[in-house]
Amino acid sequence: MYALRFNRVLAVAPLLALTACATAPRHINNICSVFDQRDGWFNNWQSAAYRTERKYGVPVPVLMATVRKESGFKGNARPPRTKLLGFIPWKRQSSAYGYSQALDGTWTQYKMESGNWGARRSSFADAVDFVGWYHSKTADTYGVAKNDTYRLYLAYYLGWNGFKRGNWPASVQSYAKATDDMARKYAGQLQGCGG
């Protein structure tokens, strides 16, 4: 009798774990809360973020602020569809997908260069590694400091060619400023949550 109940619990537990991972964390403006909500054995966001920081030298607050701005920590985030004839859902504005909102081509480049062939954009650990890889390449190529969230985000949003041109739209500069502000806020919060 107890063995049957235990087997049922074992069968349901993975489904509950997957369900918990499918929804975005609440209180995304507090990094301690985000990490507390995603501290499982197999899906520990804090461990993944610090592993990426060690690998690429990009600080955790910069990584997390970028992911927050791009997807709001939603693993299945996509850009909205355009409308055909003003009301029929049509194609999406881009191939951006997942936590990092990486485009198909850039994601393929990341997998080739990193050797992370099984990487998925809907996996937080893979997505934050992608963000670290992208920011690190920006730093190495354009001389941007790895803690300069503003300029790193400009390059992330515009792509390397758009960043290189230098005539950044005011709206994108506003996004970059908001991301920089969030990274500073996260950095302050990390002091109090044992990061």
Side-chain angles (χ1 to χ4, degrees):
M1 180 92 156
Y2 290 110
L4 181 61
R5 287 184 189 158
F6 183 71
N7 286 339
R8 286 182 182 161
V9 169
L10 283 179
V12 172
L15 295 174
L16 291 174
L18 287 173
T19 303
C21 296
T23 58
R26 295 181 311 277
H27 313 298
I28 63 173
N29 293 330
N30 185 307
I31 194 65
C32 303
S33 177
V34 170
F35 284 156
D36 284 347
Q37 293 171 74
R38 295 296 184 266
D39 66 349
W41 287 342
F42 300 109
N43 192 23
N44 188 309
W45 287 15
Q46 187 170 8
S47 293
Y50 277 100
R51 188 168 50 248
T52 299
E53 179 183 73
R54 288 189 300 274
K55 185 175 180 180
Y56 297 107
V58 178
V60 166
V62 176
L63 298 167
M64 296 300 286
T66 302
V67 174
R68 184 206 174 279
K69 185 65 176 171
E70 287 296 291
S71 67
F73 298 115
K74 295 181 185 98
N76 62 351
R78 292 182 186 272
R81 291 186 180 277
T82 57
K83 303 283 189 205
L84 180 66
L85 303 175
F87 66 95
I88 301 170
W90 197 241
K91 298 177 183 177
R92 296 194 186 274
Q93 298 168 350
S94 77
S95 63
Y97 177 70
Y99 291 107
S100 62
Q101 289 296 283
L103 301 173
D104 289 349
T106 315
W107 189 256
T108 299
Q109 180 184 354
Y110 158 73
K111 291 199 296 185
M112 286 175 45
E113 291 186 11
S114 69
N116 190 3
W117 289 104
R120 294 174 296 114
R121 289 179 278 184
S122 59
S123 159
F124 178 81
D126 292 337
V128 78
D129 191 76
F130 169 85
V131 172
W133 168 84
Y134 196 98
H135 285 340
S136 181
K137 285 185 72 78
T138 298
D140 293 346
T141 305
Y142 298 103
V144 177
K146 290 185 178 182
N147 64 352
D148 184 348
T149 311
Y150 178 80
R151 293 182 68 218
L152 289 172
Y153 187 78
L154 283 173
Y156 193 89
Y157 187 91
L158 295 167
W160 291 309
N161 289 333
F163 179 73
K164 186 170 51 176
R165 281 194 288 274
N167 55 344
W168 310 317
S171 60
V172 179
Q173 291 186 56
S174 174
Y175 301 155
K177 172 77 169 75
T179 306
D180 182 56
D181 290 345
M182 186 55 62
R184 291 173 193 276
K185 183 175 180 179
Y186 280 172
Q189 291 167 348
L190 277 175
Q191 302 299 315
C193 65

PDB file of all heavy atoms in Angstrom, residues 182-195:
ATOM      1  N   MET A 182      18.732  48.655 -13.505  1.00  0.00           N
ATOM      2  CA  MET A 182      18.351  47.389 -12.885  1.00  0.00           C
ATOM      3  C   MET A 182      19.587  46.617 -12.432  1.00  0.00           C
ATOM      4  O   MET A 182      19.581  46.012 -11.349  1.00  0.00           O
ATOM      5  CB  MET A 182      17.513  46.546 -13.849  1.00  0.00           C
ATOM      6  CG  MET A 182      16.961  45.272 -13.224  1.00  0.00           C
ATOM      7  SD  MET A 182      15.988  45.522 -11.698  1.00  0.00           S
ATOM      8  CE  MET A 182      14.630  46.511 -12.296  1.00  0.00           C
ATOM      9  N   ALA A 183      20.640  46.634 -13.214  1.00  0.00           N
ATOM     10  CA  ALA A 183      21.877  45.942 -12.818  1.00  0.00           C
ATOM     11  C   ALA A 183      22.436  46.552 -11.536  1.00  0.00           C
ATOM     12  O   ALA A 183      22.898  45.819 -10.639  1.00  0.00           O
ATOM     13  CB  ALA A 183      22.907  46.010 -13.944  1.00  0.00           C
ATOM     14  N   ARG A 184      22.390  47.874 -11.423  1.00  0.00           N
ATOM     15  CA  ARG A 184      22.862  48.535 -10.195  1.00  0.00           C
ATOM     16  C   ARG A 184      21.991  48.147  -8.998  1.00  0.00           C
ATOM     17  O   ARG A 184      22.487  47.897  -7.900  1.00  0.00           O
ATOM     18  CB  ARG A 184      22.873  50.051 -10.386  1.00  0.00           C
ATOM     19  CG  ARG A 184      23.927  50.526 -11.366  1.00  0.00           C
ATOM     20  CD  ARG A 184      23.802  52.024 -11.654  1.00  0.00           C
ATOM     21  NE  ARG A 184      24.593  52.406 -12.776  1.00  0.00           N
ATOM     22  CZ  ARG A 184      25.895  52.697 -12.717  1.00  0.00           C
ATOM     23  NH1 ARG A 184      26.533  52.643 -11.561  1.00  0.00           N
ATOM     24  NH2 ARG A 184      26.554  53.036 -13.803  1.00  0.00           N
ATOM     25  N   LYS A 185      20.690  48.086  -9.231  1.00  0.00           N
ATOM     26  CA  LYS A 185      19.761  47.689  -8.174  1.00  0.00           C
ATOM     27  C   LYS A 185      20.035  46.244  -7.750  1.00  0.00           C
ATOM     28  O   LYS A 185      20.109  45.933  -6.559  1.00  0.00           O
ATOM     29  CB  LYS A 185      18.323  47.851  -8.672  1.00  0.00           C
ATOM     30  CG  LYS A 185      17.264  47.549  -7.639  1.00  0.00           C
ATOM     31  CD  LYS A 185      15.878  47.855  -8.218  1.00  0.00           C
ATOM     32  CE  LYS A 185      14.786  47.565  -7.207  1.00  0.00           C
ATOM     33  NZ  LYS A 185      13.449  47.881  -7.728  1.00  0.00           N
ATOM     34  N   TYR A 186      20.189  45.364  -8.722  1.00  0.00           N
ATOM     35  CA  TYR A 186      20.498  43.961  -8.429  1.00  0.00           C
ATOM     36  C   TYR A 186      21.807  43.837  -7.653  1.00  0.00           C
ATOM     37  O   TYR A 186      21.912  43.025  -6.732  1.00  0.00           O
ATOM     38  CB  TYR A 186      20.595  43.154  -9.718  1.00  0.00           C
ATOM     39  CG  TYR A 186      19.287  42.720 -10.343  1.00  0.00           C
ATOM     40  CD1 TYR A 186      19.276  42.124 -11.591  1.00  0.00           C
ATOM     41  CD2 TYR A 186      18.064  42.882  -9.696  1.00  0.00           C
ATOM     42  CE1 TYR A 186      18.099  41.691 -12.184  1.00  0.00           C
ATOM     43  CE2 TYR A 186      16.880  42.463 -10.276  1.00  0.00           C
ATOM     44  CZ  TYR A 186      16.903  41.863 -11.531  1.00  0.00           C
ATOM     45  OH  TYR A 186      15.741  41.437 -12.109  1.00  0.00           O
ATOM     46  N   ALA A 187      22.813  44.614  -8.046  1.00  0.00           N
ATOM     47  CA  ALA A 187      24.108  44.548  -7.363  1.00  0.00           C
ATOM     48  C   ALA A 187      23.963  44.897  -5.888  1.00  0.00           C
ATOM     49  O   ALA A 187      24.549  44.245  -5.011  1.00  0.00           O
ATOM     50  CB  ALA A 187      25.121  45.470  -8.051  1.00  0.00           C
ATOM     51  N   GLY A 188      23.175  45.940  -5.604  1.00  0.00           N
ATOM     52  CA  GLY A 188      22.931  46.323  -4.220  1.00  0.00           C
ATOM     53  C   GLY A 188      22.170  45.244  -3.458  1.00  0.00           C
ATOM     54  O   GLY A 188      22.492  44.929  -2.304  1.00  0.00           O
ATOM     55  N   GLN A 189      21.189  44.647  -4.109  1.00  0.00           N
ATOM     56  CA  GLN A 189      20.406  43.597  -3.466  1.00  0.00           C
ATOM     57  C   GLN A 189      21.245  42.355  -3.176  1.00  0.00           C
ATOM     58  O   GLN A 189      21.074  41.707  -2.137  1.00  0.00           O
ATOM     59  CB  GLN A 189      19.209  43.211  -4.347  1.00  0.00           C
ATOM     60  CG  GLN A 189      18.165  44.304  -4.445  1.00  0.00           C
ATOM     61  CD  GLN A 189      17.152  44.028  -5.557  1.00  0.00           C
ATOM     62  OE1 GLN A 189      17.334  43.146  -6.386  1.00  0.00           O
ATOM     63  NE2 GLN A 189      16.076  44.815  -5.560  1.00  0.00           N
ATOM     64  N   LEU A 190      22.163  42.028  -4.078  1.00  0.00           N
ATOM     65  CA  LEU A 190      22.996  40.836  -3.881  1.00  0.00           C
ATOM     66  C   LEU A 190      23.833  40.919  -2.616  1.00  0.00           C
ATOM     67  O   LEU A 190      24.174  39.885  -2.039  1.00  0.00           O
ATOM     68  CB  LEU A 190      23.916  40.625  -5.098  1.00  0.00           C
ATOM     69  CG  LEU A 190      23.326  39.905  -6.289  1.00  0.00           C
ATOM     70  CD1 LEU A 190      24.306  39.892  -7.442  1.00  0.00           C
ATOM     71  CD2 LEU A 190      22.904  38.488  -5.930  1.00  0.00           C
ATOM     72  N   GLN A 191      24.159  42.136  -2.209  1.00  0.00           N
ATOM     73  CA  GLN A 191      24.929  42.295  -0.957  1.00  0.00           C
ATOM     74  C   GLN A 191      24.168  41.740   0.238  1.00  0.00           C
ATOM     75  O   GLN A 191      24.772  41.270   1.197  1.00  0.00           O
ATOM     76  CB  GLN A 191      25.239  43.787  -0.705  1.00  0.00           C
ATOM     77  CG  GLN A 191      26.003  44.473  -1.816  1.00  0.00           C
ATOM     78  CD  GLN A 191      27.354  43.848  -2.050  1.00  0.00           C
ATOM     79  OE1 GLN A 191      28.091  43.554  -1.127  1.00  0.00           O
ATOM     80  NE2 GLN A 191      27.688  43.626  -3.320  1.00  0.00           N
ATOM     81  N   GLY A 192      22.839  41.784   0.155  1.00  0.00           N
ATOM     82  CA  GLY A 192      22.032  41.350   1.284  1.00  0.00           C
ATOM     83  C   GLY A 192      21.465  39.938   1.173  1.00  0.00           C
ATOM     84  O   GLY A 192      20.830  39.453   2.085  1.00  0.00           O
ATOM     85  N   CYS A 193      21.687  39.265   0.032  1.00  0.00           N
ATOM     86  CA  CYS A 193      21.103  37.924  -0.102  1.00  0.00           C
ATOM     87  C   CYS A 193      22.168  36.844  -0.234  1.00  0.00           C
ATOM     88  O   CYS A 193      21.879  35.760  -0.727  1.00  0.00           O
ATOM     89  CB  CYS A 193      20.073  37.859  -1.232  1.00  0.00           C
ATOM     90  SG  CYS A 193      20.666  38.120  -2.909  1.00  0.00           S
ATOM     91  N   GLY A 194      23.354  37.155   0.162  1.00  0.00           N
ATOM     92  CA  GLY A 194      24.397  36.136   0.218  1.00  0.00           C
ATOM     93  C   GLY A 194      24.887  35.636  -1.113  1.00  0.00           C
ATOM     94  O   GLY A 194      25.286  34.488  -1.241  1.00  0.00           O
ATOM     95  N   GLY A 195      24.855  36.500  -2.182  1.00  0.00           N
ATOM     96  CA  GLY A 195      25.314  36.082  -3.505  1.00  0.00           C
ATOM     97  C   GLY A 195      26.723  35.672  -3.504  1.00  0.00           C
ATOM     98  O   GLY A 195      27.146  34.633  -3.860  1.00  0.00           O
TER      99      GLY A 195
END
